Amino acid sequence: MNLFTGTRRTGGPAAGKRSRSVLLALAATATAAALAIPVTSATASAAPAAIPPGLSCDTGKHAIDDYTGFALCRNNGSQTQVFWVHLVCGWSPDVDGDRVTLRPGESGQSTAHCGSLGTGIGEIHVRP
C-alpha cells in the first residue's frame, strides 16, 4: 500500500521499481536546482553601499555582537555634512543610527543595533 495516496500498487514489481526511479530522479533534480541558487548568509560580510560624496567611511559589525553595526566616517569635503548608519536587519525591522554632523576634516561614528529576534545584519549603508 502506498502511504502517500492510500492506494495499492497494481502491476508487477517492475512498476514499483519504475516509479521509485522516477521519484529518485525527481529528487536529484530538485536537489541540484536548490544547490544552484546562490544563498546569501546573514552573517556574511555586510555589503558596503555607496558612500555620500565628500565622506570616506569604514563600515562593519561590532567585534563581539553581530547585531550591532557602525559607520566611521571622515569629512574630506569643504562643507559640513550629516550622515548616519542604516542597518538592514533580515527578519527584524531595519534600523538607523544617530545622525552625526561633521565639519570639514572631522571624523565621527554612528552605530545602530538590530533586534535580537531577527537574523542579524544583512547590509550596512551610510546615508546622507
Side-chain angles (χ1 to χ4, degrees), residues 1-9:
M1 175 168 284
N2 187 333
L3 296 176
F4 293 109
T5 62
T7 60
R8 289 183 186 241
R9 181 171 33 147

Side-chain angles (χ1 to χ4, degrees), residues 8-65:
R8 289 183 186 241
R9 181 171 33 147
T10 58
K17 288 183 181 177
R18 195 170 344 142
S19 63
R20 178 180 289 165
S21 64
V22 169
L23 288 175
L24 288 174
L26 180 62
T29 303
T31 302
L35 292 175
I37 298 171
V39 177
T40 304
S41 171
T43 59
S45 297
I51 295 175
L55 292 176
S56 61
C57 300
D58 291 319
T59 61
K61 296 179 187 177
H62 190 276
I64 299 172
D65 181 9

Side-chain angles (χ1 to χ4, degrees), residues 3-127:
L3 296 176
F4 293 109
T5 62
T7 60
R8 289 183 186 241
R9 181 171 33 147
T10 58
K17 288 183 181 177
R18 195 170 344 142
S19 63
R20 178 180 289 165
S21 64
V22 169
L23 288 175
L24 288 174
L26 180 62
T29 303
T31 302
L35 292 175
I37 298 171
V39 177
T40 304
S41 171
T43 59
S45 297
I51 295 175
L55 292 176
S56 61
C57 300
D58 291 319
T59 61
K61 296 179 187 177
H62 190 276
I64 299 172
D65 181 9
D66 282 338
Y67 291 84
T68 300
F70 66 88
L72 176 61
C73 297
R74 178 174 174 79
N75 184 351
N76 294 326
S78 58
Q79 297 180 343
T80 300
Q81 298 222 21
V82 176
F83 79 95
W84 63 91
V85 67
H86 174 80
L87 303 180
V88 178
C89 295
W91 293 345
S92 294
D94 297 350
V95 292
D96 289 331
D98 295 334
R99 270 89 175 136
V100 177
T101 302
L102 298 177
R103 293 186 296 233
E106 288 185 332
S107 297
Q109 179 173 317
S110 175
T111 60
H113 186 80
C114 290
S116 60
L117 295 177
T119 55
I121 298 171
E123 293 181 11
I124 301 175
H125 300 273
V126 178
R127 299 281 169 93

